[in-house]
Amino acid sequence: MLRERAHLADLDKVRQDVMDEFEIVLGQMPYVGGAASRMSDFFMRLLGFMAIGRVLRRHGVALPIIGDIERESYKAQLLTVPEAERLASGRQFMSRENQSLLREQAAKSLANEYPEDFVYDFVEPGPGDSFEFGIDYKACGFCKFAARHGDKEILPHICGLDFEAYATRGIRLERTQTLAGGASHCNFRFSRPETK
């Protein structure tokens, strides 16, 4: 994709640029609670794509192509995990036990202990809703990071990776708005495809 879509010839140079930028990004990554926070892992995994986006922008690659490259490479990475393992992870995420944990974590997030972290509410389905549960992110660590470090134009591509992350685990994500897009919150709604 780097050769065909982005028209980059010196892939070794691009790889090295990305690794160098990744070191910078890791140094910029805020502390949001370490292993005690479910969001630390998201930060570490997805900030790498911020490094890729920065490097490709410097090489003059158009934003839609950066989005395609990031999405396809993330999906390829996710699919290296055996399907049975991915689907088991999805079932665990959708489980009543995990929903209970998410409720607790959402309540804790409201204390805003770490200013660069995510703040969110757990959303129960109402009458007529077709989702099993939801999360409304009222503050986003990636939005804060992007605003601080000048990455707002590549931020929507990071948001787009969510769909691949859940789909590869057998989870249907519906989201009609994001903080990055100017909304008051990101409205994640989760269901299993067979429940639709």
CSV table of all heavy atoms in Angstrom, one decimal, residues 143-181:
chain,number,residue,atom,x,y,z
A,143,CYS,N,-8.3,12.7,21.8
A,143,CYS,CA,-8.6,14.0,21.4
A,143,CYS,C,-7.7,15.0,22.1
A,143,CYS,O,-7.2,16.0,21.5
A,143,CYS,CB,-10.1,14.4,21.7
A,143,CYS,SG,-11.2,13.5,20.6
A,144,LYS,N,-7.5,14.8,23.4
A,144,LYS,CA,-6.6,15.6,24.2
A,144,LYS,C,-5.2,15.6,23.7
A,144,LYS,O,-4.5,16.6,23.6
A,144,LYS,CB,-6.7,15.2,25.7
A,144,LYS,CG,-8.1,15.4,26.3
A,144,LYS,CD,-8.1,14.8,27.7
A,144,LYS,CE,-9.5,14.8,28.3
A,144,LYS,NZ,-9.5,14.1,29.6
A,145,PHE,N,-4.7,14.3,23.4
A,145,PHE,CA,-3.4,14.1,22.9
A,145,PHE,C,-3.2,14.9,21.6
A,145,PHE,O,-2.2,15.6,21.3
A,145,PHE,CB,-3.1,12.6,22.7
A,145,PHE,CG,-1.7,12.3,22.2
A,145,PHE,CD1,-0.7,12.0,23.1
A,145,PHE,CD2,-1.5,12.3,20.9
A,145,PHE,CE1,0.6,11.8,22.7
A,145,PHE,CE2,-0.2,12.0,20.4
A,145,PHE,CZ,0.8,11.7,21.3
A,146,ALA,N,-4.2,14.7,20.7
A,146,ALA,CA,-4.1,15.3,19.3
A,146,ALA,C,-4.1,16.8,19.4
A,146,ALA,O,-3.3,17.5,18.7
A,146,ALA,CB,-5.3,14.8,18.5
A,147,ALA,N,-4.9,17.3,20.3
A,147,ALA,CA,-5.0,18.8,20.5
A,147,ALA,C,-3.6,19.3,21.0
A,147,ALA,O,-3.1,20.4,20.5
A,147,ALA,CB,-6.1,19.2,21.4
A,148,ARG,N,-3.0,18.6,21.9
A,148,ARG,CA,-1.8,19.1,22.5
A,148,ARG,C,-0.6,19.0,21.6
A,148,ARG,O,0.3,19.8,21.6
A,148,ARG,CB,-1.5,18.2,23.8
A,148,ARG,CG,-0.1,18.5,24.4
A,148,ARG,CD,0.1,17.9,25.7
A,148,ARG,NE,-0.6,18.6,26.7
A,148,ARG,CZ,-1.5,18.1,27.5
A,148,ARG,NH1,-1.7,16.8,27.5
A,148,ARG,NH2,-2.2,18.9,28.4
A,149,HIS,N,-0.6,18.0,20.7
A,149,HIS,CA,0.6,17.7,19.8
A,149,HIS,C,0.4,18.0,18.3
A,149,HIS,O,1.2,17.6,17.5
A,149,HIS,CB,1.0,16.3,20.0
A,149,HIS,CG,1.4,16.0,21.4
A,149,HIS,ND1,2.6,16.5,22.0
A,149,HIS,CD2,0.8,15.3,22.4
A,149,HIS,CE1,2.6,16.1,23.3
A,149,HIS,NE2,1.6,15.4,23.5
A,150,GLY,N,-0.8,18.7,18.0
A,150,GLY,CA,-1.0,19.1,16.6
A,150,GLY,C,-1.3,17.9,15.7
A,150,GLY,O,-1.0,18.0,14.5
A,151,ASP,N,-2.1,16.9,16.2
A,151,ASP,CA,-2.4,15.8,15.4
A,151,ASP,C,-3.9,15.7,15.0
A,151,ASP,O,-4.4,14.7,14.7
A,151,ASP,CB,-2.1,14.5,16.1
A,151,ASP,CG,-0.6,14.4,16.4
A,151,ASP,OD1,0.2,14.5,15.4
A,151,ASP,OD2,-0.2,14.1,17.5
A,152,LYS,N,-4.6,16.8,15.1
A,152,LYS,CA,-6.1,16.8,14.9
A,152,LYS,C,-6.5,16.3,13.6
A,152,LYS,O,-7.5,15.6,13.4
A,152,LYS,CB,-6.7,18.2,15.2
A,152,LYS,CG,-6.8,18.6,16.6
A,152,LYS,CD,-7.6,19.9,16.8
A,152,LYS,CE,-7.9,20.1,18.3
A,152,LYS,NZ,-8.7,21.3,18.4
A,153,GLU,N,-5.7,16.6,12.5
A,153,GLU,CA,-6.2,16.1,11.2
A,153,GLU,C,-6.1,14.6,11.0
A,153,GLU,O,-6.8,14.1,10.2
A,153,GLU,CB,-5.4,16.9,10.1
A,153,GLU,CG,-3.9,16.6,10.1
A,153,GLU,CD,-3.1,17.4,9.0
A,153,GLU,OE1,-3.8,18.2,8.4
A,153,GLU,OE2,-1.9,17.2,8.9
A,154,ILE,N,-5.2,14.0,11.8
A,154,ILE,CA,-5.1,12.5,11.6
A,154,ILE,C,-5.9,11.8,12.7
A,154,ILE,O,-6.1,10.6,12.6
A,154,ILE,CB,-3.7,12.0,11.6
A,154,ILE,CG1,-2.9,12.4,12.8
A,154,ILE,CG2,-3.0,12.4,10.3
A,154,ILE,CD1,-1.4,12.0,12.9
A,155,LEU,N,-6.5,12.5,13.6
A,155,LEU,CA,-7.3,11.9,14.7
A,155,LEU,C,-8.5,11.1,14.2
A,155,LEU,O,-8.7,10.0,14.7
A,155,LEU,CB,-7.8,13.0,15.7
A,155,LEU,CG,-8.6,12.5,16.8
A,155,LEU,CD1,-7.8,11.6,17.7
A,155,LEU,CD2,-9.0,13.7,17.7
A,156,PRO,N,-9.3,11.5,13.2
A,156,PRO,CA,-10.4,10.7,12.7
A,156,PRO,C,-10.0,9.3,12.3
A,156,PRO,O,-10.8,8.4,12.4
A,156,PRO,CB,-11.0,11.5,11.6
A,156,PRO,CG,-10.6,13.0,11.9
A,156,PRO,CD,-9.2,12.8,12.5
A,157,HIS,N,-8.8,9.1,11.8
A,157,HIS,CA,-8.4,7.8,11.4
A,157,HIS,C,-8.2,6.9,12.6
A,157,HIS,O,-8.5,5.7,12.5
A,157,HIS,CB,-7.1,7.9,10.6
A,157,HIS,CG,-7.2,8.7,9.4
A,157,HIS,ND1,-8.2,8.6,8.4
A,157,HIS,CD2,-6.4,9.8,9.0
A,157,HIS,CE1,-8.0,9.5,7.5
A,157,HIS,NE2,-7.0,10.2,7.8
A,158,ILE,N,-7.8,7.5,13.7
A,158,ILE,CA,-7.6,6.7,14.9
A,158,ILE,C,-9.0,6.3,15.4
A,158,ILE,O,-9.3,5.1,15.8
A,158,ILE,CB,-6.9,7.5,16.1
A,158,ILE,CG1,-5.6,8.0,15.6
A,158,ILE,CG2,-6.9,6.7,17.4
A,158,ILE,CD1,-4.6,6.9,15.3
A,159,CYS,N,-10.0,7.2,15.3
A,159,CYS,CA,-11.4,6.8,15.7
A,159,CYS,C,-11.9,5.7,14.8
A,159,CYS,O,-12.6,4.8,15.3
A,159,CYS,CB,-12.3,8.1,15.5
A,159,CYS,SG,-11.8,9.5,16.5
A,160,GLY,N,-11.6,5.7,13.5
A,160,GLY,CA,-12.1,4.7,12.6
A,160,GLY,C,-11.6,3.3,12.9
A,160,GLY,O,-12.2,2.3,12.5
A,161,LEU,N,-10.5,3.2,13.6
A,161,LEU,CA,-9.9,1.9,13.9
A,161,LEU,C,-10.8,1.1,14.9
A,161,LEU,O,-10.8,-0.1,14.9
A,161,LEU,CB,-8.5,2.0,14.5
A,161,LEU,CG,-7.5,2.7,13.6
A,161,LEU,CD1,-6.1,2.9,14.3
A,161,LEU,CD2,-7.3,1.9,12.3
A,162,ASP,N,-11.7,1.8,15.6
A,162,ASP,CA,-12.6,1.2,16.6
A,162,ASP,C,-13.4,0.1,15.9
A,162,ASP,O,-13.7,-1.0,16.4
A,162,ASP,CB,-13.5,2.2,17.2
A,162,ASP,CG,-12.7,3.1,18.2
A,162,ASP,OD1,-11.7,2.7,18.8
A,162,ASP,OD2,-13.1,4.3,18.3
A,163,PHE,N,-13.9,0.4,14.7
A,163,PHE,CA,-14.8,-0.5,14.0
A,163,PHE,C,-14.1,-1.8,13.7
A,163,PHE,O,-14.7,-2.9,13.9
A,163,PHE,CB,-15.4,0.1,12.7
A,163,PHE,CG,-16.3,1.3,13.0
A,163,PHE,CD1,-15.9,2.6,13.0
A,163,PHE,CD2,-17.7,1.0,13.3
A,163,PHE,CE1,-16.7,3.6,13.4
A,163,PHE,CE2,-18.5,2.0,13.7
A,163,PHE,CZ,-18.1,3.3,13.7
A,164,GLU,N,-12.9,-1.8,13.2
A,164,GLU,CA,-12.1,-3.0,13.0
A,164,GLU,C,-11.8,-3.8,14.3
A,164,GLU,O,-12.0,-5.0,14.3
A,164,GLU,CB,-10.8,-2.7,12.3
A,164,GLU,CG,-10.9,-2.0,11.0
A,164,GLU,CD,-11.6,-2.8,9.9
A,164,GLU,OE1,-11.7,-4.0,10.0
A,164,GLU,OE2,-12.1,-2.2,8.9
A,165,ALA,N,-11.5,-3.0,15.3
A,165,ALA,CA,-11.2,-3.7,16.6
A,165,ALA,C,-12.3,-4.5,17.1
A,165,ALA,O,-12.1,-5.6,17.6
A,165,ALA,CB,-10.8,-2.7,17.6
A,166,TYR,N,-13.6,-4.0,17.0
A,166,TYR,CA,-14.7,-4.8,17.5
A,166,TYR,C,-15.2,-5.8,16.5
A,166,TYR,O,-15.5,-6.9,16.8
A,166,TYR,CB,-15.8,-3.8,17.9
A,166,TYR,CG,-15.5,-3.0,19.1
A,166,TYR,CD1,-15.1,-1.7,19.1
A,166,TYR,CD2,-15.5,-3.6,20.4
A,166,TYR,CE1,-14.7,-1.0,20.2
A,166,TYR,CE2,-15.1,-2.9,21.5
A,166,TYR,CZ,-14.7,-1.6,21.4
A,166,TYR,OH,-14.3,-0.9,22.5
A,167,ALA,N,-15.2,-5.5,15.2
A,167,ALA,CA,-15.7,-6.4,14.2
A,167,ALA,C,-14.9,-7.7,14.1
A,167,ALA,O,-15.5,-8.8,14.0
A,167,ALA,CB,-15.7,-5.7,12.8
A,168,THR,N,-13.6,-7.6,14.3
A,168,THR,CA,-12.8,-8.8,14.2
A,168,THR,C,-13.0,-9.7,15.4
A,168,THR,O,-12.6,-10.8,15.4
A,168,THR,CB,-11.3,-8.4,14.1
A,168,THR,OG1,-10.9,-7.6,15.2
A,168,THR,CG2,-10.9,-7.8,12.8
A,169,ARG,N,-13.7,-9.2,16.5
A,169,ARG,CA,-14.0,-10.0,17.6
A,169,ARG,C,-15.5,-10.4,17.6
A,169,ARG,O,-16.0,-10.9,18.6
A,169,ARG,CB,-13.7,-9.2,18.9
A,169,ARG,CG,-12.2,-9.0,19.1
A,169,ARG,CD,-11.8,-8.4,20.4
A,169,ARG,NE,-12.2,-7.0,20.5
A,169,ARG,CZ,-12.4,-6.3,21.6
A,169,ARG,NH1,-12.3,-6.9,22.8
A,169,ARG,NH2,-12.7,-5.0,21.5
A,170,GLY,N,-16.2,-10.2,16.5
A,170,GLY,CA,-17.6,-10.6,16.4
A,170,GLY,C,-18.5,-9.7,17.2
A,170,GLY,O,-19.6,-10.1,17.6
A,171,ILE,N,-18.2,-8.4,17.3
A,171,ILE,CA,-19.0,-7.4,18.0
A,171,ILE,C,-19.4,-6.4,16.9
A,171,ILE,O,-18.6,-5.9,16.2
A,171,ILE,CB,-18.2,-6.7,19.1
A,171,ILE,CG1,-17.8,-7.8,20.1
A,171,ILE,CG2,-19.1,-5.6,19.8
A,171,ILE,CD1,-16.8,-7.3,21.2
A,172,ARG,N,-20.7,-6.0,17.0
A,172,ARG,CA,-21.2,-5.0,16.1
A,172,ARG,C,-21.1,-3.6,16.9
A,172,ARG,O,-21.7,-3.5,17.9
A,172,ARG,CB,-22.6,-5.2,15.7
A,172,ARG,CG,-23.2,-4.2,14.7
A,172,ARG,CD,-24.5,-4.7,14.1
A,172,ARG,NE,-24.8,-3.9,13.0
A,172,ARG,CZ,-25.8,-3.0,13.0
A,172,ARG,NH1,-26.5,-2.8,14.1
A,172,ARG,NH2,-26.1,-2.3,12.0
A,173,LEU,N,-20.4,-2.7,16.3
A,173,LEU,CA,-20.3,-1.3,16.9
A,173,LEU,C,-21.1,-0.4,16.0
A,173,LEU,O,-20.9,-0.4,14.8
A,173,LEU,CB,-18.8,-0.9,17.0
A,173,LEU,CG,-18.6,0.6,17.2
A,173,LEU,CD1,-19.2,1.0,18.6
A,173,LEU,CD2,-17.1,1.0,17.1
A,174,GLU,N,-22.0,0.3,16.7
A,174,GLU,CA,-22.7,1.4,16.0
A,174,GLU,C,-22.2,2.7,16.7
A,174,GLU,O,-22.2,2.8,17.9
A,174,GLU,CB,-24.2,1.3,16.1
A,174,GLU,CG,-24.8,0.2,15.3
A,174,GLU,CD,-26.3,0.1,15.4
A,174,GLU,OE1,-26.9,1.0,14.8
A,174,GLU,OE2,-26.8,-0.7,16.2
A,175,ARG,N,-21.9,3.7,15.9
A,175,ARG,CA,-21.5,5.0,16.4
A,175,ARG,C,-21.8,6.1,15.4
A,175,ARG,O,-21.4,6.0,14.3
A,175,ARG,CB,-20.0,5.0,16.8
A,175,ARG,CG,-19.5,6.3,17.5
A,175,ARG,CD,-18.1,6.3,17.8
A,175,ARG,NE,-17.3,6.3,16.6
A,175,ARG,CZ,-16.1,5.8,16.4
A,175,ARG,NH1,-15.4,5.3,17.4
A,175,ARG,NH2,-15.4,5.9,15.3
A,176,THR,N,-22.6,7.0,15.8
A,176,THR,CA,-23.1,8.0,14.9
A,176,THR,C,-22.4,9.4,15.1
A,176,THR,O,-22.6,10.3,14.3
A,176,THR,CB,-24.6,8.2,15.0
A,176,THR,OG1,-24.9,8.6,16.3
A,176,THR,CG2,-25.3,6.9,14.6
A,177,GLN,N,-21.6,9.5,16.2
A,177,GLN,CA,-21.0,10.8,16.4
A,177,GLN,C,-19.7,10.6,17.2
A,177,GLN,O,-19.6,9.6,17.9
A,177,GLN,CB,-21.9,11.8,17.1
A,177,GLN,CG,-22.4,11.3,18.5
A,177,GLN,CD,-23.4,12.1,19.1
A,177,GLN,OE1,-24.3,12.6,18.5
A,177,GLN,NE2,-23.2,12.4,20.4
A,178,THR,N,-18.8,11.6,17.1
A,178,THR,CA,-17.5,11.5,17.9
A,178,THR,C,-17.2,12.9,18.4
A,178,THR,O,-17.6,13.9,17.8
A,178,THR,CB,-16.3,11.0,17.0
A,178,THR,OG1,-16.1,11.9,16.0
A,178,THR,CG2,-16.6,9.6,16.5
A,179,LEU,N,-16.4,12.9,19.5
A,179,LEU,CA,-15.9,14.1,20.0
A,179,LEU,C,-14.9,14.8,19.0
A,179,LEU,O,-14.9,16.0,18.8
A,179,LEU,CB,-15.1,13.9,21.3
A,179,LEU,CG,-16.0,13.6,22.5
A,179,LEU,CD1,-15.1,12.8,23.6
A,179,LEU,CD2,-16.5,14.8,23.1
A,180,ALA,N,-14.2,13.9,18.3
A,180,ALA,CA,-13.3,14.4,17.3
A,180,ALA,C,-14.0,15.1,16.1
A,180,ALA,O,-13.5,16.0,15.5
A,180,ALA,CB,-12.4,13.2,16.7
A,181,GLY,N,-15.2,14.7,15.9
A,181,GLY,CA,-16.1,15.3,14.9
A,181,GLY,C,-16.8,16.5,15.3
A,181,GLY,O,-17.7,17.0,14.6
